[in-house]
Amino acid sequence: MPMFSLGTWKAKAGLTGAAVELAIKTGYRNIDTANDYNNEAEIGVALKKVMDEKIVKRDELFIQSKLWNSNHRPEHVEADLDQTLKDLQLDYVDMYMIHWPQAAPATGKQASTRVDGAIADHHSKNPMFPLDDEGYYCADVESHYIESGKKWMGKVKSIGLSNFNKTQIEEVVAIAKKPVDLLQNESHVYLQQKDLIDQCNFRNIVFQSFSSLGSGDTNYASYASPTGTIPLRDAHINALAEKYGKGPGQIMLRWGIQRGISVVSKTSQKGGLQLRHLGLGAV
């Protein structure tokens, strides 16, 4: 598995495909996606284009996607995966993760995918974020991620988890028909996740960080950082960046790789896609 991955969460519509195409031309081989990101169809067009142009072969790419919360029941897993494959214009994904341990938002009544609406809406419309009659998210309390872990098809080369804690990882490892190969959780210099990384090393699971530069500037950052700063503005990181003639983001991404973990990071800028700046070559 290529250790550096292009992230596509919250990538802007109309720019995502171009970013994926440019990333692959620049040397990226690992692309991280998910049904609920609502951009896999755009990514699929870009993937087809670079393969049609013989820039890269399918077996040279490592495509990651995820099972959404509303589809944890075993009978709903395949519908979720099939929509992802249709959107990405692929026969298989290299990595398929359970996106979150909780079956919420979800009703458990039927599968819901991007085409049903990657939005919050009344459960009668079967969106990916179903709301009850009072406007609260629905929860499929009779479903459990262990059941999801038992249902994997030949359309998936390897399986993983995302946003799981240590106890939940052990529960899935105990019953999974395929080895759990990846854990994708938030991790950066302010959230180093040493215990989870140690557990992954013990279980021979690759740990992969998302929000690898921190998430202080996202739309979810409603309040000031409790530390008084965010990683990209950290004085020590910026001092290191100045010392080595790099950007603070490059310092943090290189730090992640040197820890021996896989790293996901998002950018649509050509300069930010230059892997040689991280000393990584084609990844």
Side-chain angles (χ1 to χ4, degrees), residues 198-216:
D198 286 345
Q199 182 188 22
C200 285
N201 289 337
F202 178 75
R203 287 294 184 189
N204 199 29
I205 297 171
V206 174
F207 183 91
Q208 184 178 74
S209 67
F210 70 80
S211 294
S212 304
L213 302 180
S215 53

mmCIF file of all heavy atoms in Angstrom, residues 198-216:
data_model
loop_
_atom_site.group_PDB
_atom_site.id
_atom_site.type_symbol
_atom_site.label_atom_id
_atom_site.label_comp_id
_atom_site.label_asym_id
_atom_site.label_seq_id
_atom_site.Cartn_x
_atom_site.Cartn_y
_atom_site.Cartn_z
ATOM 1 N N ASP A 198 0.603 1.848 18.641
ATOM 2 C CA ASP A 198 1.219 0.675 19.266
ATOM 3 C C ASP A 198 0.335 -0.561 19.096
ATOM 4 O O ASP A 198 0.825 -1.663 18.809
ATOM 5 C CB ASP A 198 1.460 0.927 20.754
ATOM 6 C CG ASP A 198 2.615 1.876 21.009
ATOM 7 O OD1 ASP A 198 3.402 2.127 20.073
ATOM 8 O OD2 ASP A 198 2.726 2.382 22.147
ATOM 9 N N GLN A 199 -0.975 -0.383 19.271
ATOM 10 C CA GLN A 199 -1.891 -1.504 19.085
ATOM 11 C C GLN A 199 -1.872 -1.996 17.642
ATOM 12 O O GLN A 199 -1.863 -3.199 17.388
ATOM 13 C CB GLN A 199 -3.312 -1.101 19.475
ATOM 14 C CG GLN A 199 -4.321 -2.249 19.349
ATOM 15 C CD GLN A 199 -5.743 -1.790 19.560
ATOM 16 O OE1 GLN A 199 -6.050 -0.611 19.398
ATOM 17 N NE2 GLN A 199 -6.628 -2.709 19.917
ATOM 18 N N CYS A 200 -1.856 -1.063 16.695
ATOM 19 C CA CYS A 200 -1.805 -1.443 15.289
ATOM 20 C C CYS A 200 -0.523 -2.204 14.970
ATOM 21 O O CYS A 200 -0.548 -3.214 14.244
ATOM 22 C CB CYS A 200 -1.912 -0.203 14.408
ATOM 23 S SG CYS A 200 -3.572 0.497 14.322
ATOM 24 N N ASN A 201 0.595 -1.754 15.499
ATOM 25 C CA ASN A 201 1.851 -2.462 15.276
ATOM 26 C C ASN A 201 1.776 -3.882 15.828
ATOM 27 O O ASN A 201 2.266 -4.831 15.206
ATOM 28 C CB ASN A 201 3.011 -1.697 15.919
ATOM 29 C CG ASN A 201 3.343 -0.411 15.191
ATOM 30 O OD1 ASN A 201 3.038 -0.257 14.009
ATOM 31 N ND2 ASN A 201 3.962 0.528 15.883
ATOM 32 N N PHE A 202 1.164 -4.043 17.000
ATOM 33 C CA PHE A 202 1.019 -5.363 17.614
ATOM 34 C C PHE A 202 0.134 -6.270 16.761
ATOM 35 O O PHE A 202 0.397 -7.468 16.623
ATOM 36 C CB PHE A 202 0.427 -5.215 19.016
ATOM 37 C CG PHE A 202 0.197 -6.519 19.722
ATOM 38 C CD1 PHE A 202 1.256 -7.236 20.257
ATOM 39 C CD2 PHE A 202 -1.093 -7.037 19.850
ATOM 40 C CE1 PHE A 202 1.038 -8.445 20.904
ATOM 41 C CE2 PHE A 202 -1.319 -8.238 20.488
ATOM 42 C CZ PHE A 202 -0.244 -8.956 21.018
ATOM 43 N N ARG A 203 -0.908 -5.687 16.162
ATOM 44 C CA ARG A 203 -1.870 -6.453 15.365
ATOM 45 C C ARG A 203 -1.495 -6.514 13.876
ATOM 46 O O ARG A 203 -2.254 -7.043 13.066
ATOM 47 C CB ARG A 203 -3.265 -5.844 15.503
ATOM 48 C CG ARG A 203 -3.929 -6.105 16.844
ATOM 49 C CD ARG A 203 -4.220 -7.572 17.010
ATOM 50 N NE ARG A 203 -4.938 -7.867 18.249
ATOM 51 C CZ ARG A 203 -5.145 -9.104 18.681
ATOM 52 N NH1 ARG A 203 -4.679 -10.124 17.981
ATOM 53 N NH2 ARG A 203 -5.789 -9.309 19.803
ATOM 54 N N ASN A 204 -0.359 -5.955 13.525
ATOM 55 C CA ASN A 204 0.076 -5.906 12.119
ATOM 56 C C ASN A 204 -0.935 -5.171 11.249
ATOM 57 O O ASN A 204 -1.259 -5.589 10.140
ATOM 58 C CB ASN A 204 0.330 -7.321 11.575
ATOM 59 C CG ASN A 204 1.192 -7.314 10.320
ATOM 60 O OD1 ASN A 204 2.023 -6.423 10.142
ATOM 61 N ND2 ASN A 204 0.989 -8.276 9.453
ATOM 62 N N ILE A 205 -1.449 -4.068 11.786
ATOM 63 C CA ILE A 205 -2.392 -3.193 11.094
ATOM 64 C C ILE A 205 -1.675 -1.890 10.770
ATOM 65 O O ILE A 205 -0.981 -1.333 11.627
ATOM 66 C CB ILE A 205 -3.628 -2.913 11.976
ATOM 67 C CG1 ILE A 205 -4.402 -4.204 12.264
ATOM 68 C CG2 ILE A 205 -4.542 -1.880 11.322
ATOM 69 C CD1 ILE A 205 -5.499 -4.040 13.312
ATOM 70 N N VAL A 206 -1.835 -1.404 9.567
ATOM 71 C CA VAL A 206 -1.247 -0.107 9.204
ATOM 72 C C VAL A 206 -2.098 1.000 9.824
ATOM 73 O O VAL A 206 -3.322 1.011 9.676
ATOM 74 C CB VAL A 206 -1.186 0.070 7.678
ATOM 75 C CG1 VAL A 206 -0.713 1.485 7.323
ATOM 76 C CG2 VAL A 206 -0.256 -0.969 7.054
ATOM 77 N N PHE A 207 -1.451 1.928 10.529
ATOM 78 C CA PHE A 207 -2.158 3.104 11.031
ATOM 79 C C PHE A 207 -2.042 4.206 9.993
ATOM 80 O O PHE A 207 -0.955 4.504 9.490
ATOM 81 C CB PHE A 207 -1.579 3.592 12.357
ATOM 82 C CG PHE A 207 -2.324 4.765 12.932
ATOM 83 C CD1 PHE A 207 -3.383 4.580 13.797
ATOM 84 C CD2 PHE A 207 -1.978 6.071 12.581
ATOM 85 C CE1 PHE A 207 -4.094 5.665 14.312
ATOM 86 C CE2 PHE A 207 -2.678 7.162 13.082
ATOM 87 C CZ PHE A 207 -3.736 6.955 13.954
ATOM 88 N N GLN A 208 -3.177 4.830 9.676
ATOM 89 C CA GLN A 208 -3.211 5.902 8.684
ATOM 90 C C GLN A 208 -3.874 7.130 9.294
ATOM 91 O O GLN A 208 -4.973 7.043 9.842
ATOM 92 C CB GLN A 208 -3.990 5.451 7.444
ATOM 93 C CG GLN A 208 -3.999 6.461 6.305
ATOM 94 C CD GLN A 208 -4.761 5.908 5.104
ATOM 95 O OE1 GLN A 208 -5.990 5.844 5.117
ATOM 96 N NE2 GLN A 208 -4.036 5.508 4.063
ATOM 97 N N SER A 209 -3.208 8.268 9.206
ATOM 98 C CA SER A 209 -3.742 9.502 9.783
ATOM 99 C C SER A 209 -4.585 10.266 8.768
ATOM 100 O O SER A 209 -4.243 10.342 7.598
ATOM 101 C CB SER A 209 -2.603 10.399 10.259
ATOM 102 O OG SER A 209 -1.827 10.872 9.165
ATOM 103 N N PHE A 210 -5.724 10.809 9.233
ATOM 104 C CA PHE A 210 -6.419 11.824 8.445
ATOM 105 C C PHE A 210 -6.393 13.124 9.236
ATOM 106 O O PHE A 210 -6.029 13.148 10.416
ATOM 107 C CB PHE A 210 -7.842 11.405 8.067
ATOM 108 C CG PHE A 210 -8.840 11.356 9.195
ATOM 109 C CD1 PHE A 210 -9.449 12.514 9.675
ATOM 110 C CD2 PHE A 210 -9.207 10.146 9.765
ATOM 111 C CE1 PHE A 210 -10.383 12.472 10.701
ATOM 112 C CE2 PHE A 210 -10.136 10.088 10.794
ATOM 113 C CZ PHE A 210 -10.721 11.255 11.264
ATOM 114 N N SER A 211 -6.745 14.237 8.608
ATOM 115 C CA SER A 211 -6.558 15.564 9.203
ATOM 116 C C SER A 211 -5.123 15.678 9.710
ATOM 117 O O SER A 211 -4.866 16.129 10.831
ATOM 118 C CB SER A 211 -7.564 15.817 10.326
ATOM 119 O OG SER A 211 -8.876 15.891 9.828
ATOM 120 N N SER A 212 -4.192 15.282 8.871
ATOM 121 C CA SER A 212 -2.788 15.164 9.266
ATOM 122 C C SER A 212 -2.131 16.507 9.546
ATOM 123 O O SER A 212 -1.044 16.558 10.132
ATOM 124 C CB SER A 212 -2.000 14.426 8.167
ATOM 125 O OG SER A 212 -2.586 13.166 7.899
ATOM 126 N N LEU A 213 -2.788 17.590 9.139
ATOM 127 C CA LEU A 213 -2.282 18.932 9.423
ATOM 128 C C LEU A 213 -3.099 19.605 10.521
ATOM 129 O O LEU A 213 -2.965 20.794 10.766
ATOM 130 C CB LEU A 213 -2.315 19.794 8.150
ATOM 131 C CG LEU A 213 -1.535 19.256 6.947
ATOM 132 C CD1 LEU A 213 -1.652 20.205 5.770
ATOM 133 C CD2 LEU A 213 -0.071 19.021 7.306
ATOM 134 N N GLY A 214 -3.932 18.822 11.198
ATOM 135 C CA GLY A 214 -4.857 19.400 12.155
ATOM 136 C C GLY A 214 -6.119 19.832 11.446
ATOM 137 O O GLY A 214 -6.193 19.860 10.223
ATOM 138 N N SER A 215 -7.139 20.178 12.203
ATOM 139 C CA SER A 215 -8.407 20.569 11.577
ATOM 140 C C SER A 215 -8.920 21.890 12.133
ATOM 141 O O SER A 215 -10.114 22.144 12.169
ATOM 142 C CB SER A 215 -9.449 19.464 11.781
ATOM 143 O OG SER A 215 -9.558 19.118 13.156
ATOM 144 N N GLY A 216 -8.015 22.747 12.566
ATOM 145 C CA GLY A 216 -8.409 23.996 13.207
ATOM 146 C C GLY A 216 -9.055 25.006 12.288
ATOM 147 O O GLY A 216 -9.746 25.914 12.756
#
